[in-house]
Amino acid sequence: QKEVEQDPGPLSVPEGAIVSLNCTYSNSAFQYFMWYRQYSRKGPELLMYTYSSGNKEDGRFTAQVDKSSKYISLFIRDSQPSDSATYLCAMSALGIQGAQKLVFGQGTRLTINP
Amino acid sequence: ETGVTQSPTHLIKTRGQQVTLRCSSQSGHNTVSWYQQALGQGPQFIFQYYREEENGRGNFPPRFSGLQFPNYSSELNVNALELDDSALYLCASSAEYEQYFGPGTRLTVT
């Protein structure tokens, strides 16, 4: 079983829809939760960063963490064609000497149709 | 743009050869991590360097090695290349817990 599970999709929605992306994880030591967006042939771009449980909102993006269920979500409101990309969840536990290894999901490929 | 740069952009090598990839950290960041991303997969952690010392390593063999320099730039070296080493190699720099990625080096091993 992988430490982090993410539905690879692909997911296709019309412009303006609300998108929900999710990951589950098995390691209860994870404390830091991130969402990255990756365009084709580019490096991952940090979208949202959350420590422990709770919600965080940034513009059209909302990240939720439920540590009791080991479940994290990213919501995109008023989706735009420019949001079409692969979305990666990532999480970590603080390691020895401050080392922080990010464990990624497989990524969900999202397409927003005009 | 994150300010993290990597070189080269693309590289083609033959099985058994050695390769060196380079990364320049974002200004003010003293930690560099390297990841391998196979096609259609999420990045896999290779190792992390903090103030020129390796302080964390993933499940990669010793033929994957690295260096961090006093200016916090970094190198990833891979010896005895195998076909399965073909991937996008990403470096990420950080000062605290958030890691910012460069554009990656796409390595093809034939």
Side-chain angles (χ1 to χ4, degrees):
Chain A
Q1 182 189 7
K2 293 182 179 180
E3 276 190 289
V4 179
E5 298 277 359
Q6 183 177 9
D7 187 339
L11 181 61
S12 182
V13 302
E15 182 177 356
I18 296 174
V19 177
S20 171
L21 304 168
N22 312 293
C23 289
T24 59
Y25 62 94
S26 58
N27 188 345
S28 58
F30 288 147
Q31 303 175 61
Y32 306 94
F33 303 91
M34 282 138 279
W35 285 95
Y36 286 85
R37 177 173 63 195
Q38 186 173 28
Y39 292 112
S40 181
R41 300 186 176 277
K42 301 287 187 182
E45 171 194 7
L46 181 63
L47 279 178
M48 302 286 285
Y49 164 73
T50 309
Y51 172 71
S52 194
S53 285
N55 294 357
K56 186 173 184 178
E57 188 173 321
D58 184 1
R60 296 185 296 110
F61 298 90
T62 299
Q64 289 184 351
V65 175
D66 182 349
K67 289 189 71 179
S68 62
S69 301
K70 297 189 178 66
Y71 187 87
I72 70 170
S73 301
L74 177 71
F75 297 95
I76 307 174
R77 292 182 300 280
D78 188 24
S79 55
Q80 304 294 313
S82 58
D83 295 329
S84 298
T86 294
Y87 288 79
L88 296 154
C89 63
M91 45 200 81
S92 70
L94 197 59
I96 299 170
Q97 296 176 346
Q100 191 182 30
K101 157 191 167 183
L102 287 182
V103 181
F104 283 84
Q106 184 177 353
T108 300
R109 181 180 290 183
L110 173 66
T111 300
I112 309 297
N113 300 303
Chain B
E1 297 295 324
T2 62
V4 180
T5 60
Q6 292 186 243
S7 63
T9 304
H10 299 94
L11 204 51
I12 300 174
K13 289 287 190 177
T14 303
R15 189 172 49 184
Q17 287 187 315
Q18 177 266 341
V19 68
T20 297
L21 310 181
R22 295 178 174 83
C23 173
S24 180
S25 302
Q26 185 169 321
S27 177
H29 288 183
N30 55 17
T31 303
V32 173
S33 305
W34 285 91
Y35 294 81
Q36 179 195 67
Q37 186 177 23
L39 199 61
Q41 301 296 316
Q44 298 287 315
F45 176 75
I46 302 174
F47 44 57
Q48 184 178 84
Y49 279 82
Y50 171 68
R51 293 187 176 181
E52 303 177 58
E53 297 285 333
E54 182 182 301
N55 74 333
R57 190 176 183 92
N59 192 24
F60 281 80
R63 61 188 184 84
F64 285 78
S65 63
L67 284 173
Q68 187 181 29
F69 301 100
N71 66 355
Y72 302 132
S73 65
S74 178
E75 285 183 356
L76 165 66
N77 299 289
V78 187
N79 295 321
L81 284 167
E82 300 177 0
L83 296 179
D84 284 350
D85 295 334
S86 295
L88 180 67
Y89 287 85
L90 297 160
C91 80
S93 75
S94 55
E96 297 290 336
Y97 305 113
E98 299 167 48
Q99 295 189 19
Y100 296 91
F101 284 84
T105 294
R106 186 161 298 279
L107 172 65
T108 302
V109 182
T110 62

